[in-house]
Structure formats: structure tokens, C-alpha cells
Amino acid sequence: MGTFADDTAVEPLGQARYGAEVTERWTVLGGVPNGGYLMAIAARAMAGEASHPDPVSVTGHFLRPTAVGPATVEVEVLKRGRRLSQVAARLVQEGDTRLQLLGAFADLEVLDGPTKLDRQPPALPPRGETVDANASADEHGTFAPPILRQLDVHMPAATLGWSLGQPDGTGEMRGWCRLADDEELDVFGLLMMADAFPPAVFNSGAPVGWTPTIEMTTQIRKRPAPGWLAGRFATGSITGGYLEEDGELWDEAGDVVCLSRQLALAARA
Amino acid sequence: MGTFADDTAVEPLGQARYGAEVTERWTVLGGVPNGGYLMAIAARAMAGEASHPDPVSVTGHFLRPTAVGPATVEVEVLKRGRRLSQVAARLVQEGDTRLQLLGAFADLEVLDGPTKLDRQPPALPPRGETVDANASADEHGTFAPPILRQLDVHMPAATLGWSLGQPDGTGEMRGWCRLADDEELDVFGLLMMADAFPPAVFNSGAPVGWTPTIEMTTQIRKRPAPGWLAGRFATGSITGGYLEEDGELWDEAGDVVCLSRQLALAARA
């Protein structure tokens, strides 16, 4: 197994309960685990009870801060259909629900409907013309959260300028990404990767700071092909302190593998 | 009260349970109630238990078909914070959960964070240059679902061409909308209106037919100003029978009042 697979593994405890260990490797700042990482753990437990293997939509409501350490996921199957299972879950630490989820699961290897793609992949230069975010942090002495050390993220230089105090004003983060150490990303990894880029709002010119997620929904359309993913994350509407971040990830086969949207609180000036 | 307010009213039954009556006036086809209408009913019950009045994000998972007739909404408050309440709910008919929800509630009259809008309102001609969807259905004898008769919807002629067998190929529905009979729309009405336009996929060139929603999430940013709303709904990715529909509604004050996204099953050829 790889680090991500190990760090998101769940152990069946019986009665639709699963044990997990939240590790420090996927934290973002101050020891706070990345929200998408927690959704990946919970979704593995949900899949353990569903009649279908792949999450096609997972919504997580973040209720209380989660900590590094043991967690339990309690799963309730709401519906078992021919094509879909729908499942509720809660991730619990020390008796408190930290993250509440709803998800739909299907078999993404058995698709039998129309395909028509008007959406375009992110505009990205070849990887050789982009900047390795970890190397840039090392070179400039800027902050690299632990989760970034678990990833290979390559961004256009202008997209990464925010980390040197020069946001590009687009409200977008774009880049190539994959797990470090050549670990291949599975469908559950998409839930993490959809939340792993720096907040797109950091490139908007609005204040940079703590941007807590209230709710995040990720739709998964395909098990990703091996290799790199191309990601685009954008915030278009910051209103009264609330913002959305819309994301897309595309695989090397040229297919959109997931669409994400979260509601978060904007940092204060 | 107006028709929408009456038809989404909930009655407290005690112990965080609410009674409601699902009416035939908001059905789409074959007596099936509109999903956004059901979300509005459920959200009124959720707000009855939350410590904050306005939904800022509501996710509904559609588990089983809902019918016209009585329904009960069972609410569970997950978190009461200073700024937000987070709430789960289920809409039950005849002992079966039909719709399962998660929502975050806040007070949209008390906003104290940054605002920065890069998103643009939908490109729409003045209402006098658009076509009344109800009048068009009457003139051409095309199908107008009962919900349309509760609304004023005015669309550019090209956007409405799909109803005459001429989709414009954009995968978009755009138009002006409001409740009929000058009833003003409240925040709960936005949950309905975000699901009230014909599926955007009908304008894509993909097969037109039954497009059941699996999951829908609507973010609400503002109590809408009185008057018309400008709406834009778009489907960019139909993959293996799954599609998303992203929506925006803007009020006459020029503010984005909600953002929606749903995952639905595409119609077969």
C-alpha cells in the first residue's frame, strides 16, 4: 500500500462502524487535518456498507474541528437501488460528530448512458514549464503544509505568485498534481485532491487567511487513469464573508474525473 | 400568504417533527413533485429547529419518489454555533424516507465579511424581448408542467426553442423568473426556483427525457430583493449517463442570491 491508502484505511468494527487513524501527514495548518482527506476516510467506510463501490457524489458538513488521532465512522445505508446506493455517515472523535456526510455510490465501471462534454480541461502549460510547489517553498522559505509534502503539485509560476505576496487576481488555482512517491490515486483520493490545492481565493486579491469549509460536495465521474491530474479551482463570488470554490480534476486520458464545490468562510482583512 | 408560502408551510408537531402537505401545483410530470419544492418544504422545517433563520447551503439526496399528499419532516440539529447552525432532516411519506437533507443556516441580515464578485450575471435581453414560457406553451400546444403555471418565466426565444424541437446546443437555460400573481420569493423559494427551469441538458442536443436528480446542493447568499430574478443553468459534462447542472440566480439589485449544483441521470436515447 502507499501512504495515502494506509492513512485512509478503515477497519470494520461491526454494526456499520469503522475505525480509522487520522494522521498528521494530511494536515494543513496548526495540526488541522485537510477536509478532503477526512471525506476520503469517511467515504471508504461508506463504501464498505454500500452495495456499489464508487462514490459518485459525497457531501460533507464540517461541524467541529477534527484532530490527529483515532476516529470512528458510523454508517447508515439509506437506499440500495439497482444503480445507486445512498448512504449517510458521521465521523466521530471522542464522542462528538465532527463531520456529517451524505453520499451516493455506483459502479463507475458499468456506465450505460450518454456522454457529451462541453466543459474544457484547464489551460495548463506542459509540466516542464511549471513550478514544483514543494521546491518553491524550500527555495523561498515559504510555508508548505504537511499535506503538500505528500503530493507533487506543479503550478504555472503566476498561479504560485500568491505565496510570495503576488496573487494573480484571477481567483483561480491551476496545476498538475499527483500523490508523492508514484502512488496511484483511486476514486477516494479524488475526494482529498479536490480539497488539496491552496484556497483559490488566495489568488483573488481578497485577504489571505483561514478559510474554513462549511460544506463540500464532490461529484466523481470516473476512476482516474494512472498518472497526473490537471486541476482548476476557482472562486467567483465572495459575498458577505461567504465564498464558493468550484473545482475540476482531469486525468491523463483527457477525461473529467471529478467536479467539486465547497462553501467556505472568507478570511477577514 | 401566497400560493408558494401556503404550499410550503410546515406545522410543528413537537419533538422536532413537522407536518406538510405536498400539493399537485408544484409537480413536473406524471404527478411527481419538483425536487426543489420538496427541499423548500424541508428547509422550512429545518429552520424551525435551527438557531439561525436563513439556509446558506442545503443538500438533498433524493432516495425514492415523493407523491402529492401529506409528508412529515424529521429534523436533527447537529451543531449550534455562533454564526451557523448545521441541521440534518428527512422528509418521510408513509413511513419511508423519500428525501434526506443536510443544511447550514445563518442570519443573512448579519453579514460581516468581505465581498468581491468576479462572477457576472447571466446575459439576458430585456424582458420585453423575451418569450413568456406559459404563453408559448399555450400558443404551440406544447407541454407545460403544473409548476410552470405557478411561475412567470420569460426566456430568450432561442433558449426556448428546445420545446419546439430546436435545442440551441448550448446546454444552457437562461431566463427571467418570479412567482406568479406577484408573490414575493423568500430564501426558501430560492431552493425551488434553483430547480424550476427545464433541465439545461434539454438545450445540449443530448436526448430529452426524464432526468432524475440524485443529489442537489443550493448555496444561498442573500434574501432576494423584490422583483424578478435572472437565472442561468448549465450542464457542461454528461459522462456515462451522469450530468451536473450548475445554476445561478441574481436579483434586481444586481446581487447573486444563490448558486446551485445537482447530479442527475441523463435521459437515454
Side-chain angles (χ1 to χ4, degrees):
Chain A
M1 302 237 288
T3 304
F4 179 77
D6 281 340
D7 286 355
T8 55
V10 295
E11 178 195 6
L13 303 175
Q15 297 184 303
R17 295 172 67 250
Y18 290 78
E21 187 71 26
V22 176
T23 82
E24 75 289 350
R25 282 183 284 275
W26 307 86
T27 56
V28 288
L29 186 64
V32 175
N34 171 263
Y37 165 61
L38 300 170
M39 287 176 67
I41 290 174
R44 285 203 201 279
M46 294 162 89
E49 297 296 317
S51 305
H52 300 83
D54 301 306
V56 294
S57 174
V58 180
T59 292
H61 266 259
F62 294 85
L63 308 177
R64 296 171 188 88
T66 306
V68 169
T72 306
V73 183
E74 301 172 5
V75 181
E76 179 193 3
V77 176
L78 304 171
K79 185 198 172 184
R80 294 183 193 278
R82 186 186 59 80
R83 180 168 183 153
L84 290 168
S85 302
Q86 283 164 290
V87 182
R90 47 184 81 205
L91 186 145
V92 178
Q93 287 187 314
E94 296 182 344
D96 283 329
T97 302
R98 311 298 175 106
L99 169 60
Q100 182 98 17
L101 306 103
L102 283 175
F105 290 73
D107 187 340
L108 288 174
E109 296 295 288
V110 186
L111 295 173
D112 59 352
T115 289
K116 180 175 187 301
L117 207 63
D118 295 322
R119 199 178 284 273
Q120 294 296 317
L124 282 176
R127 258 185 312 288
E129 298 169 23
T130 56
V131 178
D132 179 327
N134 279 299
S136 172
D138 292 340
E139 180 186 344
H140 298 288
T142 53
F143 176 69
I147 186 174
L148 184 60
R149 300 305 187 184
Q150 305 303 325
L151 307 174
D152 281 334
V153 177
H154 289 233
M155 290 179 148
T159 301
L160 203 52
W162 71 270
S163 66
L164 305 172
Q166 295 167 331
D168 67 9
T170 58
E172 286 191 16
M173 290 284 167
R174 288 175 292 116
W176 301 101
C177 58
R178 64 177 183 186
L179 292 173
D181 303 323
D182 294 327
E183 182 179 355
E184 290 299 344
L185 197 84
D186 64 3
V187 280
F188 300 96
L190 294 174
L191 295 168
M192 177 278 297
M193 201 64 98
D195 193 36
F197 277 57
V201 66
F202 289 3
N203 252 335
S204 73
V208 169
W210 189 240
T211 310
T213 303
I214 299 168
E215 171 268 317
M216 178 162 191
T217 299
T218 301
Q219 292 186 13
I220 295 176
R221 298 296 183 86
K222 187 193 168 196
R223 297 182 190 166
W228 290 84
L229 296 171
R232 175 180 179 271
F233 299 87
T235 291
S237 324
I238 312 170
T239 62
Y242 294 90
L243 63 84
E244 88 287 357
E245 180 173 299
D246 287 355
E248 303 176 9
L249 291 168
W250 296 68
D251 69 8
E252 287 197 7
D255 293 316
V256 60
V257 292
C258 77
L259 301 176
S260 64
R261 173 174 283 173
Q262 59 178 283
L263 175 65
L265 293 175
R268 307 303 174 85
Chain B
M1 302 236 287
T3 304
F4 180 76
D6 281 340
D7 286 354
T8 54
V10 295
E11 178 195 7
L13 304 175
Q15 297 184 301
R17 295 171 67 250
Y18 290 77
E21 186 71 26
V22 177
T23 81
E24 77 288 349
R25 281 183 284 275
W26 307 87
T27 56
V28 290
L29 186 65
V32 176
N34 171 262
Y37 165 61
L38 299 170
M39 288 176 66
I41 290 174
R44 285 203 200 278
M46 295 161 88
E49 297 296 315
S51 305
H52 301 82
D54 301 306
V56 293
S57 174
V58 179
T59 292
H61 266 258
F62 294 85
L63 309 178
R64 296 171 188 88
T66 306
V68 169
T72 306
V73 183
E74 302 172 6
V75 182
E76 179 193 4
V77 176
L78 303 171
K79 185 199 172 184
R80 293 183 194 278
R82 185 186 61 79
R83 182 166 182 153
L84 290 169
S85 303
Q86 284 164 292
V87 182
R90 49 183 80 205
L91 186 146
V92 178
Q93 287 186 314
E94 297 183 344
D96 283 329
T97 301
R98 311 298 175 105
L99 168 60
Q100 183 97 16
L101 306 103
L102 283 175
F105 290 74
D107 187 340
L108 287 174
E109 296 293 288
V110 186
L111 295 172
D112 59 352
T115 290
K116 181 176 186 301
L117 208 63
D118 295 323
R119 197 178 285 273
Q120 294 298 317
L124 283 176
R127 256 184 314 287
E129 299 170 22
T130 56
V131 178
D132 179 326
N134 279 299
S136 173
D138 291 341
E139 180 186 343
H140 299 287
T142 53
F143 177 69
I147 187 175
L148 184 60
R149 300 304 189 183
Q150 305 304 326
L151 307 175
D152 280 334
V153 177
H154 289 231
M155 292 179 146
T159 301
L160 202 53
W162 70 270
S163 67
L164 305 172
Q166 296 167 330
D168 67 10
T170 58
E172 286 191 15
M173 290 285 167
R174 288 176 293 117
W176 301 100
C177 57
R178 64 178 183 184
L179 292 173
D181 302 323
D182 295 325
E183 182 179 356
E184 289 300 342
L185 198 83
D186 64 4
V187 280
F188 300 97
L190 294 173
L191 295 169
M192 176 279 296
M193 201 65 96
D195 192 36
F197 277 59
V201 66
F202 290 2
N203 252 334
S204 73
V208 170
W210 191 239
T211 310
T213 302
I214 299 168
E215 172 268 318
M216 177 162 191
T217 299
T218 301
Q219 292 185 14
I220 294 176
R221 298 297 183 84
K222 187 193 168 196
R223 298 182 190 168
W228 290 84
L229 296 170
R232 176 182 179 269
F233 299 87
T235 291
S237 325
I238 312 169
T239 62
Y242 294 90
L243 63 85
E244 88 287 358
E245 180 173 300
D246 287 356
E248 303 176 9
L249 290 168
W250 297 67
D251 69 8
E252 286 197 9
D255 292 317
V256 61
V257 292
C258 78
L259 300 175
S260 64
R261 173 174 283 174
Q262 57 178 284
L263 176 65
L265 293 175
R268 308 303 174 84

